[in-house]
Amino acid sequence: KFHYIFNLRDLSRVTEGVMLSTPDNMADCKSVVRLLRHEMNRIFYDRLVDDADKAFVTDKIADALRAAFSGEADHALREPCLYGDLLNYNIVEEEKERGGGDTLRLYEDMQDYNKIKPVLEEVLEKYNSGNKAMNLVLFEDCLGYLVRVHRLMRLPRGNALLVGVGGSGKQSITRLAAYTANCDVFSITLTRGYNEALFRDDLKQLYGKLQTQGTAFMFTDAHVAEEGFLELINNMLTSGMVPALFEESERDGICNNMRDEAVHKGGAVDTKEAIWQYFIGKCRDNLHVVMAMSPVGEQLRVRCRSFPGMVNNTVINWFVPWPEEALESVAGVFLAEEDLPNASRKPIVEHMVMVHQYVRGQSDSFLQQLKRYNYVTPKNYLDFISNYRSVLKDERRKIDGQIQRLDGGLSKLVQAATEVDAMHIKLVAAQAEVEVKSKQVKEMLVEISANTKVAEQQQAAANTKEQELNVMAAQISEEKAEAEAALEEALPALEDAAKALNDLKKEDITEMRQFAKPHELVQNVALCVVILKGGKDVSWKGAKVVMGEGNFLRSLVEFDKDGLTEKQIKQVKVYFQSADFTPEAMKSISQAGAGLLKWVYAIVNYYGIAKTVNPKRQAVANAEKTLRQAQKDLVKIQAEVKALGDHLQELQVKFEAGSVEERELQERADLMERRLTAASKLIAGLSSERERWTSDMEKLHSSRDLLVGDCLLASAFLSYTGAFSFEFRANMMVGTWEPDVRAKKIPCIEPYRLEALLTSEVETAKWASEGLPQDELSIQNGILTTRSSRYPLCIDPQQQAVAWIKKKESKSSLKVCSFNDSDFLKHLEICVNLGFSYLFEGIDEYIDPIIDPVLEKNIVRKGASRTVKIGDKDVEWDDSFRLYLTSKLANPHYGPETFGKVMIINYSVTLQGLEDQLLNETVKVERSDLAKQQVALVEEVSELSGMLKELEDTLLYELANSTGNILDNTELIETLDKTKVKATEISEKLEEAKGTSAEISATCQAYRPVAKRGSILFFVMASLSILNNMYELSLALYMVVFLQALRRADLDSILENRLENIISTLTLSCYSYSCRGIFETHKLMFSFQMALQIMRGEGELDVAHLDFFLKGNLSLEKAKDPPPGDGFLSEQGWHDMQRLVTLGDEFASLPADVRRAVSEWRAWYDLEAPESSPMPQGYDEKLSALGKMMVLRCFRVDRIYVAITKFVIGAMGEKYVQPPVLDFAAVYQASEPMVPVIFVLSPGADPASDVFKLANKLGMGGPKMKFMALGQGQGPVAQTMLEVGSQRGHWVMLQNCHLLPNWLKSLEKLLEQVHSPHADFRLWLTTDPTDRFPVGVLQRSLKVVTEPPNGLRLNMLASYSKVSEEVLTACPHPAFRSCVFVLAFFHAVVQERRKYGKIGWNVRYDFNDSDFAVSLRLVSTYLEKAHDNGDVQIPWDTLRYLVGEVMYGGRVTDNCDRRGGATYMNEY
């Protein structure tokens, strides 16, 4: 309540508010009084943090009003009390849009939420239409906050400090209030490296806007990149301006621009300073600083104390958690459109409210019991509602898809079953029809065969005849060719004659014919022509008549030369006897006569040749006649063959048609038979599937109705449980939420299993193969990681989540970065843009706000693209992008804002989960054959399960998507048959594998005691980090210790003995490992914790007894009777005893027994070591060891330390109270190149010399040993040394790491980048205990505490461990060994005295091992010198002085302490 600061400013603010009244709205006294009450509420009431304070202030205001205004008080105190100028907002805005503006927004009593809700809903709708939509539900509390912030926006210089956890709606309310007040909203955008200079640049932009309009400057605690920002904000609040924000030239420009306005409108003097003050005043009036801060932690209190303007110059509004009415209203609005049963709608909303409120209470219990933080904000509630809607929608869609898939398959099976009977009847009829048609086709085939035989015979005869004719035709053709060749000889003469005739003209013939008495030769030629032409009148007269024919010459050319007779030729030849009867001689007489004579000679010549050729030609003609007759006979035969062929063809067509019909009928019958066979096969083969699918369909239908409750529980789990431990989750889910769902009669499956709804066996098996443990918590975490609507932030101290995520996302181009990487933002942008996965590994409690837009998925739509702002860039968004964050911190404290932005998931391993993991590791070592078989079986079961599901999916898909009649699809039937057979085989293999796996698991269970002890010891060792952060332990390092213990344990053929050997070796190894890395103060505590937790694991520890032993009686009620005796029993002891009697029958009579035997108990009380002596009255026999300590606690608290030691010895053995002496050689053996060794220093301890000795001993001294003390600016040098050393195999020692804590983050990164160092490389670090040491380095390192052991004995053993046998034998003096013992004893005494504070030493001195080492060398040197000189006397004085006064005494500053040291020297 740091902000409960009230001063005169508050009174002025109340007055300012009252002055907003106008006579129009507040004309009477009671209205003003009511306004006064409203303003007091705004200034005083709104900042109050709890109901008690609010009731107190309300009562005080009421009393004051009743005392001062008794008549008006009742009116003034009426609820709700709401004032503002909102009611006519929409009217005024509409007038402005039309160009008017006469209506004023007046401050008035708005009377009721119902009056302002419609107005603000309309405003919200307008805002969403022009800006990024805000999905606000305006319930009453929200309206109240909105009205209050809006009131400040309407006031000049109205600033607000809004205090509430993240997700309360501060920013949304501010934006809507600013919009309603006609103000712009300005906020900064963080980028990488955002600093004060950039912040000042943004403020310049802000002041540029303030010159013209009112602006709300929204500033959240996420914007505080540097605390210096708040100094600037404080200046803005107190003075209105940031000092030195503008340079002189910029100020001049502003003054010049503002000059006219300042002088003429503002009435300012025309000077630079006056105008500047006018500018500041105007900006201050227009500026509304709205700071949205979280109240969690001390940060806000410190800031308000450091920057008082945050309180003094703002009106504070404290946002309280949403009340139930608000939660119901919000859920009702968001679920209004969901398809829910009407009877369940209201119970669902009530359940959501119950869950939210219950988790708030559980968060308080979580903090009290486990000191772990979980914050519940309205964002979680909205996420709950959103998850419910999305999960319900997804699961309904999934079930609808499964129902549709099963229904498709079942409908095909039903179709096949219903058609079988009808198909059987059709098949019988079809087979009969096929038989008849087959008979007809066979008869037709017989007829065709007979006709074909006849046709073939006739065809053969025709072919023979045709061949004979072909031979005859060839012979005739040959003879004809011979005759024609002979005739060819006469043809040239004929052609010459024809030519001569052609040369003659009709006139020539006419001239020749006109001769009355021609030349004899001419006349003879003419007579020859007449004879050849067959004329009757062979005379010149007759010749003239022949020549006188119109076509005489043509007739000669076309003369039928083959029609001549022998008689004609003889008559012509008579004229040939004359020697002059030649064409040549005739030429001289008559040209025409010569031509005719040529013709005559040619004809006669032709006849002479033709006479010998004609017989041949006659023979040819006769042969041709015979051939023609034969050809006619052949044509007749061929016609008969053709007719027969046509008949055959007709028969063949009929046969083929019959065959086709027969084939079609047969195919139809075969198809029906196939269908029947397929139907029988399908129905018989898939009968079990049909039953199972039918059952599954029924279950799916019923489960769909139950999704309303199932998804309600699942979404509650996804929204709220991530940060809780397994026990808390079980308590919430099973113990509270599920019973509430059933009590409200919301439909829900019985029994409810979260895993069955949100994941599957196939998916969890895949997770297992990727490295996720299979315990219930890990499965839940896997669900949260993959199904949560927010990105996961895994609290992962054992690094199991990191390993799983890296393997799981390896195929998604996973990029691993940290906030320490300079380029993480660039890689993030690439992954967001390309849809790759991104892992922020090893984050601490600070999450860079630059990635907030990504975490909150602030996606902006720009046209078709969607972008998110990362820094100052708009990056295109890909829905495949996945973001993971992991932290190595075991118990980080994240604020409510972080809980609202990410899903924080507690991956811390559980006792049972680790036990299962260790069991697997034990079996791998002890029974590697079983382990390999188990791994193979797990993989086989996973693979077979996946294949089985895939086959069933294939079966259903093929059935559902088959077209037409399924029984026609033989390929489908074969596929279904193969699939069914394969599925059956896989099911059998799966059952066999599960049986084998169960047998192996039963065999492996024999090793569970080892795993159980290992799990207990890990949690005891890991819990040490609560005492000191330097004790951090990783599971990976513990596994090294665990496996080493398995290998070192003595072998035994009897399993029980082997298990005992492993358990004892493991317990001692863990004790030794832990004691090496913890301070002496904590070693007994560690042993005690080990003993208790082992007893608890064995079921031998009563937790109530342990609680009493640790806390005593916490009741404030004192005992009625005083303690018995004379006061030896303290009041507190007696008070504790009153509670002790309630813890069991064995303690019930203790007070009465003490009263009866006071003397016995007093005697026991007075003993120096009562814990070692028997208790009176037989209590020693009837009480357990813890019970005895409980009684001892009531009597002698001072002896508890020793009693615990005895308890540990009794429970575990004496070796568990005697920590091992630090052995540097053993430390080296336990170290590895990748495992640094961290020496945690205590006062006076310096392990450097021992490390140097070890280096020299192992050959790593000299140039191979690199060391340096860290300090300012030494980081780069150390980095170079480490990089070179890891490559070349050096030992690197970095001292005083606590002096350079900022560089240690770089060291962590360097160690992560070293993948294959040289085998000889070792890294040695020394540091004081510091909480700034990176957890990542601590978890991977071997811790060694350098501190004097506890007790003389252990101290001397530690000193002797540094004295080798060579040192003891190096000095020949016989007294040397005795002197070494005395020196070790003296060294132990001076150190042990430090435990007693001022009683031991007045001043606490840092005696260390170097004092002992130097003193030992002095003793050795002087005794060796005495021996060499033969001196019998030991130089005591010299040794006493050098050792007592110089080496040890040199540190002593107090005289009394010096005297004590000298006394020890003289005594020893």
Side-chain angles (χ1 to χ4, degrees), residues 523-533 572 575-576 581 600:
Q523 185 177 348
N524 289 341
V525 169
L527 293 176
C528 287
V529 170
V530 172
I531 293 169
L532 290 175
K533 285 181 69 65
V572 170
Y575 295 99
F576 286 2
F581 195 69
V600 170

Side-chain angles (χ1 to χ4, degrees), residues 88 92 95 101-106:
N88 60 349
V92 173
E95 286 184 358
D102 297 333
T103 305
L104 297 176
R105 292 170 59 178
L106 298 178

Side-chain angles (χ1 to χ4, degrees), residues 1268 1270 1274-1286 1292 1294 1303 1306-1307 1310 1313:
M1268 69 176 300
L1270 294 182
Q1274 294 295 313
V1277 181
Q1279 178 175 339
T1280 303
M1281 189 182 291
L1282 193 151
E1283 291 171 347
V1284 173
S1286 64
V1292 178
L1294 305 178
W1303 180 78
S1306 302
L1307 173 64
L1310 282 172
Q1313 293 171 353

Side-chain angles (χ1 to χ4, degrees), residues 1088 1092 1101-1115 1129 1132-1144 1146-1147 1150-1151 1183 1186-1195 1197 1200:
F1088 185 47
L1092 290 173
L1101 179 67
D1102 189 320
V1103 178
H1105 287 187
L1106 177 61
D1107 187 65
F1108 170 81
F1109 176 72
L1110 296 175
K1111 301 175 183 176
N1113 188 359
L1114 300 179
S1115 171
L1129 186 59
Q1132 183 60 45
W1134 182 248
H1135 181 59
D1136 290 343
M1137 200 178 290
Q1138 305 312 306
R1139 186 187 171 210
L1140 181 60
V1141 298
T1142 65
L1143 298 177
E1146 64 270 29
F1147 304 111
L1150 181 60
L1183 294 181
L1186 183 57
K1188 293 176 187 177
M1189 288 202 299
M1190 292 162 67
V1191 174
L1192 181 64
R1193 187 189 197 287
C1194 297
F1195 286 90
V1197 180
I1200 289 297

Side-chain angles (χ1 to χ4, degrees), residues 173-187:
I173 285 172
T174 300
R175 292 184 187 281
L176 188 57
Y179 181 79
T180 314
N182 297 323
C183 290
D184 195 8
V185 176
F186 180 86
S187 62

Side-chain angles (χ1 to χ4, degrees), residues 1411 1415 1418 1438-1452 1458:
D1411 297 328
S1415 298
L1418 288 171
T1438 304
L1439 292 177
R1440 274 197 295 267
Y1441 178 79
L1442 290 174
V1443 174
E1445 296 294 334
V1446 177
M1447 291 311 305
Y1448 288 89
R1451 298 180 183 273
V1452 178
R1458 188 180 295 278

Side-chain angles (χ1 to χ4, degrees), residues 787-800:
R787 295 294 300 269
S788 172
S789 60
R790 287 167 282 158
Y791 291 126
L793 193 168
C794 306
I795 300 174
D796 185 31
Q798 283 83 39
Q799 298 293 282
Q800 293 185 331

